Amino acid sequence: MIWLIGNKGMLGREVEALLKKNELACIVSDQEIDITNLDELRIFSEDKPISWIINCAAYTSVDKAEDEPELAFKINADGPLNIAQIAVKKNARLIHISTDYVFDGTKEGAYLETDLPNPISVYGKSKFKGETNVAETVKAYFIIRTAWLYGKNGNNFVRTMLKLFKEKMEVKIVADQWSSPTYASDLAAALIRIIDTDQVTFGLYHFTNEGRTNWHQFATEIYNLAKIEGLIDRSVQVLPIETGQYPTKAKRPANSYLSKEKIFRDFNICPKPWKESLAHFISTLRPGL
């Protein structure tokens, strides 16, 4: 049995849909079971034959975390520690989702799983502590780092851009932060693949869609596809700016492009190009949404 934690979030909803589609026995939980409360997790899981745990629960407000560091660490670090302890007790394998923001962005090339993290934001630090807690507690773990996640559920960059394109004649987007967008549906499929293969190559893995881009190029592609699909019926200028022209509370890495070589080598997971997945997602949206 698979226990999906955080099934109401953007990624969790996609994972739950695939679990049901593949007829995999599962139980799900969200905020009704507090991951920062070990007793709640223990009571919920004690009478269930759990063999896998997928943790999609997280504090994801990058800028807000600068004002709420205790809450960010409680959810992103203490929560995964509790879940890992349950995994040990149940002799279950654990999949935990992390982020590209564990890196400081100073590397020029793609980040490998062997590169040392050096987070520069409270959010990144809390997620890295969560990784450490998992790795030090349970042996049978897969930590999956991802980046720039978007999908049909919840707030995300694609939804924000579509809204702005309908409201403004000019949109300024940062062009000097580089990474890869990730379609939540594709990441969910990768997680199911890891479970299906039933391998014991435990450890850190990176997964995003393939191809390196920046926020401005990402926004421009969203705009062009939205025009093609009839989601936008007006002309909007999408202008590039530098990070310094758009100050935020939390620092972002200038480069957080993740190598996917390891997940391809170990699981034969070949991420789709980001433009292909984005085009598919945009095509599923109806005008007015």
Side-chain angles (χ1 to χ4, degrees), residues 90-118:
K90 304 294 289 187
N91 195 28
R93 298 180 184 183
L94 172 60
I95 296 178
H96 175 66
I97 308 301
S98 192
T99 176
D100 57 325
Y101 280 16
V102 300
F103 295 115
D104 60 17
T106 58
K107 184 177 181 178
E108 291 188 7
Y111 277 98
L112 306 174
E113 289 83 353
T114 51
D115 287 325
L116 291 178
N118 183 34

Side-chain angles (χ1 to χ4, degrees), residues 221-238:
E221 190 70 11
I222 295 167
Y223 173 71
N224 290 337
L225 290 168
K227 290 274 283 188
I228 292 171
E229 295 294 336
L231 302 178
I232 306 294
D233 60 1
R234 58 205 296 270
S235 294
V236 180
Q237 281 190 296
V238 186

Side-chain angles (χ1 to χ4, degrees), residues 195-214:
I195 292 174
D196 282 344
T197 56
D198 202 32
Q199 290 184 193
V200 293
T201 52
F202 304 123
L204 275 166
Y205 288 88
H206 292 166
F207 181 91
T208 66
N209 285 118
E210 191 51 87
R212 184 174 181 265
T213 191
N214 60 51

Side-chain angles (χ1 to χ4, degrees), residues 135-166:
E136 291 179 348
T137 304
V138 58
K139 292 182 179 179
Y141 73 87
F142 298 96
I143 294 172
I144 313 298
R145 292 182 183 140
T146 191
W148 297 12
L149 194 66
Y150 70 91
K152 63 184 177 182
N153 302 297
N155 295 322
N156 55 74
F157 185 76
V158 178
R159 294 282 192 184
T160 299
M161 288 301 104
L162 291 174
K163 183 174 182 291
L164 289 177
F165 295 151
K166 294 174 183 178

